[in-house]
Amino acid sequence: MNKLYLFLSAILLSVSLTANAQLTEPKSVKRATTHTVGINGGLGCITSKLYTVAGEKSWLTGLDMSAEYTCIFGSGYGFGVVAERSSTDYGGDYVNQNYIGPEFVMAGDLSRKWCGRVSFGGGYATCYDDYTENTDKGFGLRAGVGIDYKLTNWLGIGAELADYLIFFGSQDNFNWNKNNGIDGIQRFSLTLGLRVYL
């Protein structure tokens, strides 16, 4: 349960940071609705123990790629959709994770060029083990904290730290908490990417 508490704590911290950013924004500034499309790439790390046929593994790093769309209204609140794929090597074989789902998004301007963002949501997740050729399907939770820098009115760059909790029910392949009988994977990712503002 410690991982779930860590996940929820990250969400609460993210919400408070974004709320503080919005409070410091001048009230005379009227925000317009912003549509953003982003493409990201970076590193991910499986922080939970991964039980495979090759043995017990933990703190495995791999590559992450994602695409996202967000719509932020004048209030600073909005919604989004994110699709993400990660590939992690555990000794010649790979664990590939896919996630897609909607998100609730909060954003606030830190300055004229900088913008902070917090998101959290849930969606559909799969995990494929290259060695066993098994695919587990389940439910994923995602929380993210990001910051964007506007290069122009329509183009920017951004960075995001995200935390995933993916549950697979009662499968034996991927188990991050045997004591509670909950199977799944926890993973952090740090990605950088381009933003297009529509």
Side-chain angles (χ1 to χ4, degrees), residues 85-139:
R85 178 179 175 85
S86 71
S87 182
T88 305
D89 185 349
Y90 67 92
D93 295 298
Y94 290 86
V95 171
N96 296 322
Q97 298 174 62
N98 298 300
Y99 171 88
I100 185 168
E103 294 186 308
F104 175 72
V105 184
M106 296 173 287
D109 291 330
L110 304 175
S111 70
R112 191 173 62 88
K113 291 285 189 179
W114 293 92
C115 177
R117 185 181 60 174
V118 175
S119 60
F120 54 91
Y124 177 72
T126 65
C127 188
Y128 173 77
D129 187 343
D130 180 52
Y131 184 87
T132 63
E133 298 185 350
N134 285 337
T135 300
D136 288 330
K137 302 173 184 178
F139 177 75

Side-chain angles (χ1 to χ4, degrees), residues 21-100:
Q22 288 184 345
L23 288 176
T24 58
E25 182 180 346
K27 293 186 178 181
S28 60
V29 176
K30 176 66 176 176
R31 292 175 56 95
T33 300
T34 304
H35 302 273
T36 306
V37 176
I39 299 176
N40 309 293
L43 293 177
C45 180
I46 297 176
T47 57
S48 57
K49 291 182 179 179
L50 186 65
Y51 298 90
T52 71
V53 292
E56 180 181 310
K57 307 288 184 178
S58 61
W59 293 99
L60 297 172
T61 58
L63 297 176
D64 278 47
M65 297 183 68
S66 65
E68 60 186 354
Y69 163 78
T70 60
C71 175
I72 307 297
F73 302 106
S75 62
Y77 299 97
F79 65 91
V81 177
V82 61
E84 188 269 351
R85 178 179 175 85
S86 71
S87 182
T88 305
D89 185 349
Y90 67 92
D93 295 298
Y94 290 86
V95 171
N96 296 322
Q97 298 174 62
N98 298 300
Y99 171 88
I100 185 168

